[in-house]
């Protein structure tokens, strides 16, 4: 068991460097489009505030090349100001004398959010010198950034090696729920996988072949599997270099007595149709390109979902960002929400889709990690969890 923030004692007046995952979607006007990750970190922040610690928050946002004003964390500071019962300040640097000075005058029980850690070259390089500069700012490091726990960055992995450390409440919740999927799955266990690329999901599909009873595959990645089965997919997105892998996965499932369900009808458009009129078909032929699952597929998938005792869902069923192709994802979200199964949802796009569907509050657990959730399920741990000190019993 890893040491958690609640195992720490004597926090009053201590400077806690809290690594959060505030990598949230922001529009060009600086408006945050989804505050899920911010809200999920609030319990850890509030606990530290209650302990009268000085809370200094680190996070990244996007993939900036040096300083980019549109990748600033200032809009996140504005959200924190509206959600926390304390004073929240923002500093436009991560290390240096200005940061040290701001921390020096930070009052107990208040919060200081620092600028985007990826504005510094040392962050993604996991540079120890950069980590040491950050470590000089605080007394204890708390990692609550589950969404980045699969990447060895300076403010996650290296900083944990430089200070006494613990995990936050969000991180503990993620570990508990995802461990439950691996170690004690309730049966029937149904895994729902969507999204575009097969190559990024190969390991997790193979993992689910071991622990799940049924794997439902939707989204653009389904067309690679359909083509591997010899079915027509028209002009739909296919990863040709993954066709053989898809065939092997289908064969493995058959040998293991596991079900893999694929779409049996589609919502698409003709690539030559400038008006992009929606077409509903059983088979994608010619220049038709699939963008969503059809009604018969929804019924097929829903029947399996209704009989499940546990569900893990990662990846939308279609191009849900466009209302014309959002029906499949919305209907699957509704089916999962109304099922009797214990439901876990993971992945950035899936979270956005579930939030948009209006069924987020009916899911049992929504993971803040995308790639992190997948890697945790594959390996049972992550690099930035492993580096945290063990709980003293």
């Amino acid at each position: 068991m890893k040491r958690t923030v609640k195992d720490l004692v004597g926090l009053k007046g201590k400077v806690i460097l809290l690594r959060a995952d505030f990598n949230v979607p922001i529009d060009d006007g600086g408006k945050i489009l989804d505050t899920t990750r911010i809200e999920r970190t609030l319990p850890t922040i509030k606990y530290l505030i209650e302990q009268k610690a000085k809370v200094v928050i680190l996070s990244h946002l996007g993939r900036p090349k040096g300083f980019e004003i549109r990748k600033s964390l200032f809009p996140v500071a504005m959200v924190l100001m509206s959600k926390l019962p304390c004073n929240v300040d923002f500093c436009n640097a991560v290390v240096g004398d200005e940061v040290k000075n701001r921390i020096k005058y930070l009052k107990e029980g208040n919060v200081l959010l620092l600028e985007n850690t990826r504005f510094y070259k040392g962050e993604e390089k996991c540079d120890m010198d950069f980590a040491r500069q950050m470590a000089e700012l605080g007394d204890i490091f708390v990692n609550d950034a589950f969404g980045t726990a699969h990447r060895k960055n300076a403010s996650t992995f290296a900083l944990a090696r430089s200070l006494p450390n613990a995990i936050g409440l969000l991180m503990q919740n993620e570990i508990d729920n995802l461990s439950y999927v691996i170690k004690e799955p309730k049966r029937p266990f149904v895994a729902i996988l969507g999204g575009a690329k097969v190559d990024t999901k190969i390991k997790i599909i193979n993992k689910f072949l071991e622990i799940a009873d049924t794997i439902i595959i939707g989204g653009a990645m389904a067309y690679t599997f359909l083509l591997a089965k010899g079915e027509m997919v028209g002009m739909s997105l296919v990863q040709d270099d993954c066709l053989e892998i898809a065939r092997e996965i289908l064969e493995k499932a058959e040998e293991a007595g596991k079900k893999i369900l694929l779409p049996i009808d589609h919502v698409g458009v003709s690539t030559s149709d400038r008006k992009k009129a929606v077409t509903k078909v059983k088979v994608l032929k010619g220049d038709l390109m699939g963008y969503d699952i059809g009604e018969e597929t929804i019924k097929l998938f829903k029947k399996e979902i209704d009989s499940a005792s546990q569900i893990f869902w990662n990846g939308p069923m279609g191009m849900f960002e466009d209302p014309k192709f959002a029906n499949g994802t919305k209907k699957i979200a509704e089916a999962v929400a109304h099922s009797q199964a214990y439901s876990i949802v993971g992945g950035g796009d899936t979270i956005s889709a579930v939030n948009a569907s209006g069924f987020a509050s009916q899911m049992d657990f929504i993971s803040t990690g995308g790639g992190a959730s997948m890697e945790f399920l594959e390996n049972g741990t992550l690099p930035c969890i492993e580096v945290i000190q063990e709980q003293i019993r």
Side-chain angles (χ1 to χ4, degrees):
M1 293 285 290
K2 295 298 178 180
R3 185 161 67 173
T4 75
V5 65
K6 289 197 172 181
D7 294 318
L8 302 173
V9 294
L11 296 181
K12 188 178 188 299
K14 297 286 187 183
V15 177
I16 307 299
L17 297 184
L18 173 65
R19 182 51 160 95
D21 181 10
F22 293 154
N23 187 27
V24 293
I26 299 180
D27 66 16
D28 290 339
K31 181 184 177 183
I32 295 176
L33 304 175
D34 188 332
T35 60
T36 301
R37 283 179 166 171
I38 299 172
E39 289 166 4
R40 291 284 299 280
T41 310
L42 293 178
T44 299
I45 300 171
K46 287 178 178 178
Y47 176 78
L48 291 169
I49 290 168
E50 289 166 5
Q51 302 304 305
K52 298 296 181 184
K54 298 180 179 182
V55 187
V56 179
I57 306 178
L58 299 153
S59 181
H60 77 282
L61 176 61
R63 294 189 174 277
K65 296 178 180 177
F67 177 82
E68 292 180 29
I69 189 65
R70 289 184 178 179
K71 296 290 193 300
S72 172
L73 283 168
F74 181 72
V76 174
M78 300 300 289
V79 173
L80 290 175
M81 287 175 193
S82 69
K83 293 183 179 291
L84 291 172
C86 67
N87 188 56
V88 177
D89 286 326
F90 177 75
C91 183
N92 60 3
V94 173
V95 293
D97 292 339
E98 181 187 354
V99 183
K100 289 178 181 178
N101 196 47
R102 295 287 292 276
I103 293 172
K104 181 180 178 180
Y105 292 102
L106 183 65
K107 292 182 179 179
E108 294 175 0
N110 284 338
V111 170
L112 176 65
L113 175 64
L114 303 184
E115 188 52 284
N116 191 340
T117 57
R118 286 191 180 171
F119 285 173
Y120 296 77
K121 291 180 181 179
E123 169 68 339
E124 291 188 89
K125 292 179 180 178
C126 199
D127 183 80
M128 282 305 299
D129 286 335
F130 182 45
R132 287 189 195 99
Q133 289 179 64
M134 287 186 283
E136 289 173 3
L137 304 173
D139 301 304
I140 300 170
F141 173 66
V142 174
N143 193 347
D144 214 24
F146 180 78
T148 65
H150 57 315
R151 296 192 183 101
K152 290 184 177 182
N153 287 344
S155 68
T156 56
F157 186 83
L159 187 50
R161 297 176 65 187
S162 306
L163 284 174
N165 56 58
I167 56 173
L169 303 179
L170 181 156
M171 183 83 83
Q172 182 63 57
N173 205 9
E174 295 274 6
I175 293 169
D176 290 346
N177 275 276
L178 294 175
S179 295
Y180 177 72
V181 171
I182 304 168
K183 297 173 183 176
E184 300 176 40
K186 289 185 175 181
R187 303 200 179 280
F189 174 20
V190 175
I192 307 169
L193 299 174
K197 294 184 177 181
V198 177
D199 58 351
T200 61
K201 302 280 175 79
I202 292 167
K203 287 183 179 179
I204 196 63
I205 292 172
N206 281 320
K207 183 68 177 181
F208 281 132
L209 282 176
E210 296 174 15
I211 61 175
D213 300 292
T214 300
I215 301 174
I216 291 173
I217 298 178
M221 65 185 287
Y223 303 120
T224 299
F225 282 90
L226 288 169
L227 187 59
K229 284 182 70 179
E231 297 187 23
M232 288 187 286
V233 297
M235 296 295 289
S236 301
L237 183 66
V238 169
Q239 283 188 279
D240 292 322
D241 58 343
C242 288
L243 284 170
E244 188 55 40
I245 292 167
R247 289 189 195 100
E248 290 173 3
I249 287 170
L250 292 169
E251 287 171 8
K252 275 187 196 175
E254 189 173 354
E255 290 169 6
K258 303 292 180 77
K259 281 194 283 187
I260 291 185
L261 297 185
L262 295 166
I264 55 173
D265 66 335
H266 316 270
V267 178
V269 297
S270 168
T271 54
S272 60
D273 180 6
R274 291 184 180 179
K275 293 183 180 178
K276 301 297 182 191
V278 172
T279 304
K280 297 180 180 181
V281 294
K282 288 271 189 184
V283 179
L284 293 160
K285 299 179 182 177
D287 68 347
L288 283 177
M289 187 172 189
Y291 280 93
D292 194 14
I293 56 175
E295 291 296 336
E296 292 303 311
T297 302
I298 291 168
K299 288 178 185 176
L300 175 69
F301 290 0
K302 185 178 181 300
K303 184 179 178 182
E304 202 70 22
I305 289 165
D306 287 345
S307 67
S309 293
Q310 180 173 297
I311 295 168
F312 179 85
W313 179 17
N314 173 266
M317 296 292 99
M319 199 173 76
F320 74 97
E321 300 91 341
D322 187 328
K324 295 194 298 291
F325 309 114
N327 185 58
T329 300
K330 185 175 181 179
K331 291 291 187 183
I332 294 305
E334 182 179 14
V336 173
H338 291 163
S339 75
Q340 297 301 306
Y342 185 84
S343 55
I344 296 177
V345 177
D349 284 345
T350 322
I351 293 170
S352 297
V354 168
N355 284 338
S357 74
F359 295 106
S361 63
Q362 296 176 58
M363 304 298 175
D364 290 296
F365 183 73
I366 297 179
S367 175
T368 56
S373 300
M374 298 296 100
E375 284 195 30
F376 187 92
L377 290 173
E378 290 161 20
N379 304 316
T381 188
L382 296 170
C384 296
I385 295 173
E386 283 298 287
V387 77
I388 297 294
Q389 291 166 267
E390 295 294 322
Q391 192 179 70
I392 298 172
R393 296 184 180 181

